[in-house]
Amino acid sequence: MKVYIDHNIINLHLKNEFILLRKSNLDWVYSNEHFDEIRRSIYPEKYLTVLKELNATYIELILDRNYRLTGEVSFKSDHCPFELYKIYEDRNKEVDFNDKLFDPFLAWINGGGEPLKLLDFPNVL
């Protein structure tokens, strides 16, 4: 059985508040969403180590030649999370993207933030 691990569960596992076990009937699954979260960490190795220890499987969305979703996925169970994360990092270095770009907007949606930053959002974008 394949079970997608939420990144928050991995955090709880690292704090010993929720223990993930490697079991023969479970196939833990992770994706690029995990790598997005891991990239924000000071110590990405600790998250990658958990995925490796669980023998977790990487799930990847299959896109068509126009980068649209096809509704299919591929599973990579024979790849090390450290190797896949390196590929992810290399690909993200090719594109200049500020993942903090939407923070003022998200803060505003959640009832916080500084209105002046929000007004400047179109210029920043």
Side-chain angles (χ1 to χ4, degrees):
M1 174 173 43
K2 295 189 182 315
V3 179
Y4 188 84
I5 314 170
D6 186 85
H7 187 73
N8 293 320
I9 300 297
I10 295 173
N11 277 327
L12 292 173
H13 174 83
L14 288 167
K15 296 175 185 175
N16 290 319
E17 293 178 22
F18 186 91
I19 305 301
L20 295 166
L21 300 174
R22 185 175 175 179
K23 295 194 170 208
S24 60
N25 63 336
L26 285 180
D27 188 9
W28 298 108
V29 177
Y30 67 100
S31 69
N32 271 355
E33 294 300 319
H34 289 82
F35 291 158
D36 290 343
E37 294 287 337
I38 291 169
R39 183 174 68 182
R40 295 184 193 107
S41 171
I42 298 171
Y43 303 108
E45 303 82 20
K46 66 183 183 181
Y47 298 100
L48 297 169
T49 298
V50 170
L51 295 171
K52 185 175 180 177
E53 289 172 351
L54 292 172
N55 199 30
T57 297
Y58 176 76
I59 187 172
E60 184 172 45
L61 299 173
I62 297 176
L63 307 175
D64 67 15
R65 67 175 185 228
N66 294 316
Y67 301 102
R68 291 184 297 225
L69 295 172
T70 63
E72 298 176 9
V73 297
S74 70
F75 292 99
K76 297 181 180 180
S77 58
D78 58 343
H79 290 74
C80 174
F82 286 90
E83 294 169 6
L84 292 173
Y85 184 69
K86 174 76 170 105
I87 293 168
Y88 166 87
E89 280 187 313
D90 291 345
R91 286 182 183 162
N92 280 291
K93 287 179 186 173
E94 295 174 8
V95 178
D96 184 26
F97 180 74
N98 178 0
D99 61 355
K100 303 277 187 225
L101 183 67
F102 292 97
D103 285 358
F105 183 68
L106 291 172
W108 176 74
I109 286 174
N110 289 300
E114 300 174 32
L116 293 178
K117 284 188 178 181
L118 186 60
L119 291 173
D120 196 41
F121 188 64
N123 297 327
V124 172
L125 213 79

